[in-house]
Amino acid sequence: DGGITQSPKYLFRKEGQNVTLSCEQNLNHDAMYWYRQDPGQGLRLIYYSQIVNDFQKGDIAEGYSVSREKKESFPLTVTSAQKNPTAFYLCASSIELSSGELFFGEGSRLTVL
Amino acid sequence: AQKITQTQPGMFVQEKEAVTLDCTYDTSDPSYGLFWYKQPSSGEMIFLIYQGSYDQQNATEGRYSLNFQKARKSANLVISASQLGDSAMYFCAMRGGTSYDKVIFGPGTSLSVIP
């Protein structure tokens, strides 16, 4: 079945550590996105990518980094510079950057201890 | 700047009744797209319905319909014959304007269906 796979589903991290969240899609979509969701709030865009080796900052990119070495993969690294990293992270893709609905993964819940 | 407003933090509806979830948006561009997503307690975002700014008719998908009032910049979601499984968070979202490569989301409305 086609879809988006995020891993891990739950992750605990100590302060000062970097952590990488995986996102893989087999939908053959060009565009991929990372969103952050805090309790009781909507989604905020962290980074997005239109094609391999190209990505753009979203509204809250500080403290995060991404790479797009393969069309299918768009991992997100939460660095120690992110002041409040505890959140629910959602990866999404769309057919192309300027059109189409977003297809989402099941999310990764990061907790900083 | 573009913005999505959902003024109802929480809503209750009796099972089998219809419910309307409000969404207003702000953009100065004539070309945009509006989406509604459902987020159950499991966390996954489920696409429900889409309305393009140039679409002449309101979008419908099964029990979901979108009441699109372009002049009022309103895109309300109507769920008919509510079911217990409809209990979830609902998010209105928009792609368009100066940020066609981004999809922005509203704060969401929590819907609870009462048996």
Side-chain angles (χ1 to χ4, degrees):
Chain A
D1 280 12
I4 299 179
T5 302
Q6 288 187 241
S7 63
K9 195 165 185 176
Y10 299 95
L11 187 61
F12 297 89
R13 187 196 93 175
K14 292 183 179 178
E15 280 193 29
Q17 289 181 336
N18 291 356
V19 62
T20 296
L21 307 180
S22 169
C23 177
E24 303 277 333
Q25 56 103 355
N26 60 5
L27 300 168
N28 200 31
H29 286 173
D30 285 328
M32 297 188 74
Y33 312 77
W34 274 104
Y35 286 89
R36 169 181 172 139
Q37 185 179 25
D38 292 286
Q41 297 187 30
L43 281 64
R44 292 184 290 168
L45 183 63
I46 305 173
Y47 268 99
Y48 59 102
S49 167
Q50 181 176 9
I51 56 173
V52 172
N53 293 324
D54 180 68
F55 45 83
Q56 306 295 326
K57 291 183 179 180
D59 300 317
I60 55 165
E62 186 176 349
Y64 299 97
S65 66
V66 293
S67 63
R68 187 91 186 271
E69 296 177 2
K70 298 185 300 181
K71 184 176 182 177
E72 304 80 28
S73 178
F74 192 41
L76 173 74
T77 297
V78 184
T79 75
S80 57
Q82 169 50 235
K83 299 302 180 190
N84 187 17
T86 295
F88 187 54
Y89 292 89
L90 284 157
C91 179
S93 71
S94 63
I95 292 175
E96 55 185 16
L97 198 64
S98 60
S99 68
E101 72 268 26
L102 300 181
F103 293 80
F104 283 87
E106 294 187 341
S108 293
R109 194 169 299 278
L110 172 63
T111 303
V112 175
L113 304 173
Chain B
Q2 297 177 97
K3 187 179 178 181
I4 300 281
T5 302
Q6 295 180 255
T7 57
Q8 308 153 312
M11 290 280 287
F12 291 88
V13 64
Q14 203 76 36
E15 193 178 7
K16 299 180 185 177
E17 296 292 313
V19 63
T20 298
L21 306 183
D22 294 341
C23 171
T24 57
Y25 56 92
D26 187 17
T27 180
S28 57
D29 199 286
S31 178
Y32 51 88
L34 296 156
F35 307 84
W36 276 92
Y37 284 85
K38 172 184 178 181
Q39 187 179 43
S41 57
S42 59
E44 187 178 1
M45 297 285 284
I46 302 167
F47 167 72
L48 296 177
I49 197 166
Y50 169 80
Q51 179 85 43
S53 61
Y54 293 117
D55 293 343
Q56 295 297 314
Q57 294 187 326
N58 287 344
T60 60
E61 287 287 346
R63 295 186 299 111
Y64 304 107
S65 61
L66 202 151
N67 185 1
F68 181 48
Q69 298 186 43
K70 194 170 182 176
R72 301 174 73 174
K73 293 187 177 179
S74 168
N76 298 340
L77 177 70
V78 180
I79 305 175
S80 63
S82 295
Q83 302 172 356
L84 296 178
D86 293 335
S87 294
M89 284 290 293
Y90 288 81
F91 293 95
C92 181
M94 177 173 68
R95 182 200 290 278
T98 56
S99 300
Y100 226 91
D101 50 355
K102 299 182 186 179
V103 177
I104 63 169
F105 286 78
T109 294
S110 175
L111 177 66
S112 297
V113 180
I114 304 168

